[in-house]
Amino acid sequence: MLLFKSSWLKLLVLASLATQITGCFFVPFEGSSTSPSPTPTNSPAPTPSPSLGSINSVGQAPRPAEVSRYETQVKTKLDAIKLLAGLGDYEQTHDNYVNLMEGGMTENLKISLESGINYAIIGVCDEDCTDLDFILYDDNGNKIGTDREVDNFPVVTANPRWSATFTLTVDMYRCNNAPCYFGVGVFAERKPSKLISQ
C-alpha cells in the first residue's frame, strides 16, 4: 500500500470551515423564517446520480433518530468539503457517515477501497469536539495511515495496491460537551481522460 500525506487536503478542510464562517453555507436557526424557493415548471426529471459506497460501523450503538444542531453543523461541513473537492481533482465515492461519541471513545468503520486509486478520507466534528483522530488499517490489520494531530479535521490518504475492505479507527480524543457529533467523507482522485492521437 502506498501512503502519502497531502497538505492541500488539510487546507481544503480549513477553507471549507472559513467559507461557512463567511456565510456561504448558511443554515437557518430554528424558528427563523425563509422564503421557499419557487417551484420550477416543465423542468426535466433530474438525472439520478451514481450510487455511492457505504461506510459501515462495527459494533457501535445506533445514534439517536433526532437531528440536533450539532449534527447539522457536521453535515454542513461535509457538504462544504464535497463542494470544494468537486472543484478540484477529487469526487465523493461513499455516502457520508455521521455519528456521535463521548471523549475517549473509539469507533471502527469498514470502508471498501479499490486498487490503484488515490483516496482521501476526511473527518469533521461539531463545535464541542476539539481533537478527532484517524488510523487506517488494511485488510491484514497493517496500519497504513494515521492523523493524530491535535485538531478536529483529520485526513488520511492512501493508494491501495489491491481492492479490499479497510478499517478506519475514529478516536474522539477530546469532546468538551459530550457527546460530540463527527462525520467522515471519502473522496477519490478522478483519472484524467487519455488523449487519442488521430
Side-chain angles (χ1 to χ4, degrees):
M1 301 283 174
L2 171 67
L3 170 73
F4 58 94
K5 180 75 173 181
S6 184
S7 59
W8 78 265
L9 289 168
K10 280 279 188 181
L11 294 175
L12 179 119
V13 177
L14 285 173
S16 73
L17 301 181
T19 303
Q20 294 171 69
I21 292 171
T22 59
C24 292
F25 291 92
F26 174 72
V27 177
F29 292 103
E30 291 182 15
S32 67
S33 61
T34 56
S35 301
S37 302
T39 304
T41 58
N42 298 328
S43 58
T47 304
S49 58
S51 59
L52 300 176
S54 60
I55 301 173
N56 300 308
S57 177
V58 181
Q60 177 74 10
R63 63 181 177 84
E66 73 273 6
V67 176
S68 72
R69 72 181 180 95
Y70 298 103
E71 183 173 1
T72 301
Q73 287 175 9
V74 169
K75 289 181 176 179
T76 301
K77 291 178 183 180
L78 287 171
D79 286 343
I81 293 169
K82 178 181 176 181
L83 176 63
L84 289 172
L87 298 176
D89 294 330
Y90 279 72
E91 61 187 358
Q92 187 173 12
T93 58
H94 295 66
D95 289 325
N96 289 332
Y97 180 83
V98 177
N99 206 345
L100 71 169
M101 291 192 292
E102 297 186 10
M105 291 183 64
T106 296
E107 181 171 1
N108 293 316
L109 304 177
K110 295 293 186 182
I111 307 173
S112 295
L113 303 179
E114 296 181 18
S115 64
I117 297 176
N118 291 329
Y119 285 97
I121 304 173
I122 302 175
V124 296
C125 55
D126 68 32
E127 64 188 37
D128 293 322
C129 159
T130 56
D131 192 1
L132 188 69
D133 297 327
F134 279 176
I135 304 175
L136 183 64
Y137 297 92
D138 67 15
D139 55 326
N140 295 316
N142 299 310
K143 184 190 297 185
I144 63 165
T146 182
D147 185 337
R148 301 192 70 82
E149 295 180 18
V150 182
D151 59 37
N152 58 4
F153 45 92
V155 177
V156 291
T157 56
N159 184 326
R161 290 189 300 178
W162 58 85
S163 299
T165 299
F166 291 70
T167 300
L168 180 71
T169 296
V170 181
D171 182 8
M172 179 72 68
Y173 188 79
R174 188 173 293 115
C175 172
N176 297 330
N177 185 16
C180 287
Y181 279 89
F182 71 94
V184 177
V186 182
F187 302 85
E189 187 176 24
R190 289 189 292 267
K191 298 295 183 183
S193 300
K194 292 183 179 180
L195 295 177
I196 301 174
S197 177
Q198 301 253 340

